[in-house]
Amino acid sequence: MKAAAIQLGSGADVEANIVAADELVRAAAAEGATLVVLPEKWTVMGSPEDLRAGAQTLEGSAIAWARAIAAELKLDLVAGSIAERRSPETDEQFAGGAPADRRLANASVHVGPDGEIRAVYRKLHMFDVEIEGKRYRESDTDEPGEEVISSVLAGGAKLGMAICYDLRFPELFRVLALRGARVVALPAAFTQPTTRDHWEPLIRARAIENQVFVVAANQVGTHPGGHHSGGCSLIVDPWGTVLARADGKAPGYVLADLDFDGQDDIRRRVPLLEHRRPEVYA
């Protein structure tokens, strides 16, 4: 299986972001990719007001596009994550409501080659942190999910789903591995400082300790609202080897072959999941 991680510099214009994603997904598919992962909030990046204005339900134009292109190109598409509006109110009521009533979900959607939605994962861990003096409060705009989600790719391999800050929580990746995940899709919008210092070490650690492939698609550049993403999208194998790396400068994509036979061999030679002793960890 050939996988692609798409790197975008999304802004507040949803339709422009869809056009940019369409171009890169088609280019990756033309080079043989059958699993394509888009970055976090690929539909809209910006201020809280931008996010609420660009939020969509799963019936909106973004996921309609994802379903159509996955079916057209016959590929598994992890449509990064979108700012999902789950409220039943009209757009006018939603826009005028109190902020506490207008929280979104940060939702990653796996669409199969038949164009059907296979799974929806809503980000579990909210990015409420301070990085180099800048405060981030994802929980002001987003409601955390409540469920670990995996899916199944067209060839039968299990797909684990995570988003950005989830990368810092090894428990999630271990649960996905124990449920049979062979690949984990990681849409992200890692900041420039955390991309610089933490991005690759964390991805390689999660891949090594769970013997999974990680396809990590990051945002890049400056977005409305003052957020700066670091790019450097990665595809890492179960040994921790970086198979493909994007730069930290511009949108684009990277490709790599996922060797499941090689993964089986690693798991046979180093059967760490079998060596776990959960009875003593508590």
Side-chain angles (χ1 to χ4, degrees), residues 7 40 45 123 127-138 163-165 167-168 187-203 217-223 225-233 247-248:
Q7 184 163 287
E40 182 181 23
M45 285 284 291
K123 188 177 182 182
F127 191 59
D128 291 356
V129 304
E130 181 179 329
I131 305 291
E132 295 190 351
K134 181 177 175 61
R135 293 182 180 274
Y136 299 85
R137 287 283 303 174
E138 188 175 24
I163 300 172
C164 200
Y165 189 50
L167 180 61
R168 296 180 183 273
F190 253 56
T191 69
Q192 283 184 331
T194 56
T195 300
R196 179 192 66 218
D197 296 333
H198 299 159
W199 173 247
E200 183 174 327
L202 285 169
I203 292 170
N218 201 18
Q219 290 275 359
V220 68
T222 301
H223 315 282
H227 186 90
H228 304 276
S229 299
C232 301
S233 297
D247 64 29

Side-chain angles (χ1 to χ4, degrees), residues 174 178 272-282:
R174 180 49 53 88
L178 292 174
L272 63 86
L273 295 176
E274 297 176 20
H275 291 164
R276 294 175 63 254
R277 296 190 61 198
E279 73 278 5
V280 301
Y281 301 152

Side-chain angles (χ1 to χ4, degrees), residues 162-187:
I163 300 172
C164 200
Y165 189 50
D166 288 333
L167 180 61
R168 296 180 183 273
F169 297 85
E171 304 93 331
L172 171 59
F173 284 72
R174 180 49 53 88
V175 170
L176 290 170
L178 292 174
R179 292 184 180 181
R182 304 193 67 152
V183 184
V184 177
L186 183 76

Side-chain angles (χ1 to χ4, degrees), residues 9-27:
S10 299
D13 186 332
V14 174
E15 296 309 314
N17 295 333
I18 293 174
V19 170
D22 186 90
E23 178 181 351
L24 292 175
V25 171
R26 290 183 184 280

Side-chain angles (χ1 to χ4, degrees), residues 63-146:
I63 300 305
W65 165 82
R67 296 180 65 179
I69 197 168
E72 176 190 344
L73 301 178
K74 304 301 181 190
L75 50 78
D76 282 288
L77 177 63
V78 178
S81 77
I82 69 167
E84 182 197 10
R85 179 165 66 83
R86 303 176 71 188
S87 169
E89 286 83 7
T90 66
D91 290 342
E92 291 76 14
Q93 289 172 321
F94 183 78
D101 299 325
R102 293 183 291 151
R103 285 206 295 175
L104 312 168
N106 190 343
S108 182
V109 182
H110 171 214
V111 180
D114 57 0
E116 296 299 314
I117 294 176
R118 299 286 179 90
V120 179
Y121 166 69
R122 296 178 175 93
K123 188 177 182 182
L124 294 176
H125 304 98
M126 297 290 94
F127 191 59
D128 291 356
V129 304
E130 181 179 329
I131 305 291
E132 295 190 351
K134 181 177 175 61
R135 293 182 180 274
Y136 299 85
R137 287 283 303 174
E138 188 175 24
S139 62
D140 286 348
T141 55
D142 293 358
E143 188 84 25
E146 297 294 338

